[in-house]
Amino acid sequence: MQFIETRGNDGKLPAAVPFSSAILNPRASYGGLYVPEELPDMSIGFLSEFLHSDYKTLAFALLKAFEIDIDDELLHEALERYDRFDDPNNPVPVVGLEEDLYVSELWHGPTRAFKDMALQPFGVILNALAKARKEQYLIMAATSGDTGPATLETFKNRDNIKVCCLYPAGGTSDVQRLQMVTEDAPNLKVIGVEGNFDDTQHALKSLLASEEFRKELKKRAIHLSAANSVNFGRIIFQIIYHIHSYLELVRREAIALGEEIYLVVPSGNFGNALGAYYAKKAGLPVRKILIASNANNILTELIETGVYDIRDRSLIQTESPAMDILVSSNVERVLYDKFGPERTRELMESLAQERYYRLTEEEHARLREEFAAVFSTDEEGEKALAHYAAKGYLMDPHTATCLKAYRQLREEPLPTVIYSTAEWTKFSPTVARALGLDASSDREALQAVSEKMGVKIPPVIASLFDKPIIHDRIVKPEAIMQEMLSFL
């Protein structure tokens, strides 16, 4: 399998590269992204063959279907990371909420968020490639709250790897911040950035494309890669759990093999939704992918109107901060898949220069074939959270945005899977408020919710509040490069 570029080739980089090159060097021509040249067939034949397989077996089969240039032994080693999840036999439980509504819980890994699903195995593969090549790598990550902890967790204390993680100061939950700033491995650097997630993501993309930064790294014999979902090494693992969720519904006889379902994805940077899109295109019987946004409803506007317009928009801080994003990176891969490299480059350059683009009527109609979207306010999310808590099911505020999409966007009452992207513990003040509990800090909120709902606080979360702060630097975006070079 070869990987090609969303904005076409500039003549300086290879026109196509294998998987290993795409993940080690995710910078493509004209600032674009790598995508697979084609998708494997994961329709009824594939689904039938792996209907009764466990998660790791399914994951291995999908990775092999992509014909990536990673040997079997390393793939198995990477997938063994799922043995560290709450239930090694079922790392992604699917829980019934209503007669036709199911929750795919993606947060049972070490950092209690869905980014572990991709970053735990991805870290093993990237590290092994670096060691085999006897090369040193700087892995950059920009986070709205969950990518950072998961990246630090998978790469800590690994040879040949250093990590610089950028987070928006004041733009994450307190638990998410503590998961990052208390990490004490010597190969990790965490930097708070004055600004929002879009500022940190822009800084990461600028550094990936910066010749000056690359020259400085070359002096130190260091190569540059990224752990954000701009890296297809993340995306490939985010296809698997959509197929797993479908097969779970077949196994419990909620659907027959071949029947269509809806998928509801809470989305900010669109990586999770892109995984669903690729699964659908490869043959998974999905009627439509329903996108749930928060008040930063740029994705809802794009899907509903065909216009991406951030000219007069400012980022709104919400109770679902991992979705507080206006520049949604992985939309580009869908644009490429639908409209080709020249049109994608035109649209993305318009967004970068004019902060705006408009799809044609035909293009918009093609996008609407795959997606529908709606956004939830914080108040609507809290009501959904409280409603299901009263029924005994606790969810985080990102998952809660999915309920409005489930109620409003389905054209017919097909079985529906919503994706739960984080454990409630990462956003306990919001959960406590939704439940009518008083708490003046994250620690108090965790305890109050735990006592009211009779649920345990995982030790990895409870212990955060007693750890020393290791990383306390907060800088302006223009100072990030020098901060990284000082670390190196």
Side-chain angles (χ1 to χ4, degrees):
M1 177 75 75
Q2 293 292 296
F3 288 75
I4 52 181
E5 302 164 296
T6 54
R7 304 185 193 182
N9 184 256
D10 62 6
K12 301 174 185 176
L13 294 172
V17 299
F19 179 76
S20 59
S21 295
I23 68 171
L24 286 170
N25 304 290
R27 180 179 66 104
S29 298
Y30 305 114
L33 306 174
Y34 282 108
V35 292
E37 203 164 32
E38 58 185 348
L39 291 172
D41 182 356
M42 291 180 280
S43 55
I44 297 300
F46 181 91
L47 298 174
S48 299
E49 184 176 355
F50 296 99
L51 176 56
H52 299 292
S53 299
D54 62 23
Y55 193 88
K56 288 192 295 183
T57 302
L58 174 67
F60 182 78
L62 181 139
L63 295 170
K64 292 296 288 182
F66 268 91
E67 298 180 358
I68 58 177
D69 61 330
I70 307 297
D71 65 54
D72 290 2
E73 184 179 354
L74 178 53
L75 290 180
H76 284 301
E77 181 187 346
L79 294 173
E80 283 173 6
R81 298 291 285 198
Y82 292 131
D83 292 342
R84 304 179 181 208
F85 284 49
D86 291 344
D87 181 355
N89 296 316
N90 187 19
V92 187
V94 177
V95 178
L97 274 194
E98 307 281 0
E99 187 177 348
D100 63 353
L101 178 63
Y102 302 84
V103 184
S104 182
E105 296 181 343
L106 303 175
W107 43 259
H108 288 271
T111 72
R112 318 310 290 175
F114 82 108
K115 301 300 173 69
D116 290 326
M117 294 303 305
L119 280 165
Q120 282 294 303
F122 170 76
V124 173
I125 291 173
L126 197 147
N127 183 232
L129 292 174
K131 290 173 72 173
R133 297 182 181 211
K134 298 180 180 176
E135 294 175 339
Q136 301 292 320
Y137 275 82
L138 169 65
I139 310 298
M140 292 198 303
T143 186
S144 56
D146 287 329
T147 290
T151 301
L152 298 170
E153 171 66 27
T154 196
F155 285 117
K156 66 184 180 184
N157 295 314
R158 288 193 182 274
D159 297 333
N160 299 69
I161 299 287
K162 284 185 167 62
V163 176
C164 277
C165 177
L166 310 175
Y167 74 95
T172 70
S173 78
D174 203 34
V175 164
Q176 289 171 319
R177 181 184 63 83
L178 288 172
Q179 284 181 308
M180 292 183 279
V181 299
T182 60
E183 282 283 9
D184 61 358
N187 67 323
L188 307 180
K189 175 70 172 178
V190 178
I191 305 169
V193 180
E194 292 181 13
N196 56 45
F197 173 72
D198 285 333
D199 297 320
T200 65
Q201 181 167 251
H202 177 73
L204 179 142
K205 288 180 177 179
S206 297
L207 287 172
L208 280 174
S210 168
E211 289 304 319
E212 180 190 359
F213 189 47
R214 286 184 174 274
K215 286 177 182 176
E216 289 295 333
L217 293 181
K218 191 173 183 180
K219 291 177 186 176
R220 298 162 170 80
I222 294 173
H223 299 268
L224 184 62
S225 188
N228 279 59
S229 56
V230 296
N231 194 317
F232 198 84
R234 279 268 306 275
I235 300 298
I236 198 168
F237 288 101
Q238 292 183 263
I239 301 171
I240 300 163
Y241 51 69
H242 297 291
I243 298 171
H244 164 79
S245 299
Y246 182 89
L247 293 177
E248 277 288 279
L249 265 58
V250 177
R251 286 191 278 263
R252 63 180 63 184
E253 300 182 348
I255 56 171
L257 189 64
E259 288 185 7
E260 289 186 328
I261 65 172
Y262 285 105
L263 304 180
V264 186
V265 184
S267 197
N269 222 13
F270 217 69
N272 199 351
L274 179 72
Y277 172 75
Y278 281 147
K280 181 178 187 292
K281 189 182 179 189
L284 191 69
V286 174
R287 173 66 59 86
K288 234 173 203 183
I289 300 158
L290 310 181
I291 302 300
S293 301
N294 63 18
N296 296 291
N297 60 333
I298 194 70
L299 292 170
T300 301
E301 288 186 2
L302 172 65
I303 292 164
E304 293 302 298
T305 70
V307 176
Y308 204 118
D309 188 356
I310 54 175
R311 288 174 294 187
D312 299 313
R313 293 283 292 267
S314 296
L315 199 75
I316 302 166
Q317 286 195 326
T318 73
E319 293 177 349
S320 46
M323 296 156 64
D324 289 351
I325 296 170
L326 291 179
V327 181
S328 191
S329 291
N330 282 294
V331 170
E332 175 171 347
R333 286 182 163 119
V334 176
L335 297 178
Y336 167 82
D337 195 68
K338 291 289 187 187
F339 315 130
E342 289 183 13
R343 178 61 169 155
T344 300
R345 184 180 170 195
E346 180 185 347
L347 292 169
M348 298 312 297
E349 287 181 351
S350 178
L351 183 62
Q353 295 164 14
E354 309 295 333
R355 295 174 62 80
Y356 169 90
Y357 65 74
R358 178 184 290 274
L359 301 180
T360 66
E361 285 189 20
E362 181 192 0
E363 288 169 344
H364 183 215
R366 292 178 65 188
L367 191 67
R368 293 276 296 165
E369 290 171 2
E370 314 288 350
F371 302 100
V374 72
F375 76 95
S376 290
T377 64
D378 285 346
E379 182 182 27
E380 288 171 323
E382 283 192 24
K383 285 181 179 177
L385 203 159
H387 173 76
Y388 284 100
K391 292 186 171 188
Y393 186 83
L394 207 51
M395 64 180 68
D396 88 298
H398 301 78
T399 309
T401 65
C402 294
L403 278 305
K404 186 175 179 181
Y406 161 72
R407 292 193 307 270
Q408 293 188 6
L409 294 180
R410 298 187 305 164
E411 293 156 356
E412 58 182 286
L414 298 176
T416 300
V417 175
I418 67 175
Y419 287 93
S420 183
T421 53
E423 188 178 51
W424 70 270
T425 55
K426 301 193 79 166
F427 306 95
S428 57
T430 297
V431 176
R433 188 161 48 251
L435 300 184
L437 303 173
D438 289 327
S440 60
S441 67
D442 282 54
R443 200 170 198 170
E444 286 184 14
L446 282 164
Q447 195 60 42
V449 175
S450 173
E451 291 174 2
K452 181 177 176 65
M453 298 296 297
V455 292
K456 291 183 178 179
I457 304 167
V460 292
I461 299 295
S463 64
L464 288 171
F465 300 91
D466 298 318
K467 289 183 175 181
I469 303 297
I470 307 297
H471 308 275
D472 58 3
R473 291 284 288 161
I474 297 174
V475 303
K476 295 181 183 298
E478 57 269 24
I480 290 171
M481 184 173 84
Q482 190 54 53
E483 193 71 21
M484 287 188 181
L485 293 174
S486 297
F487 165 62
L488 297 173

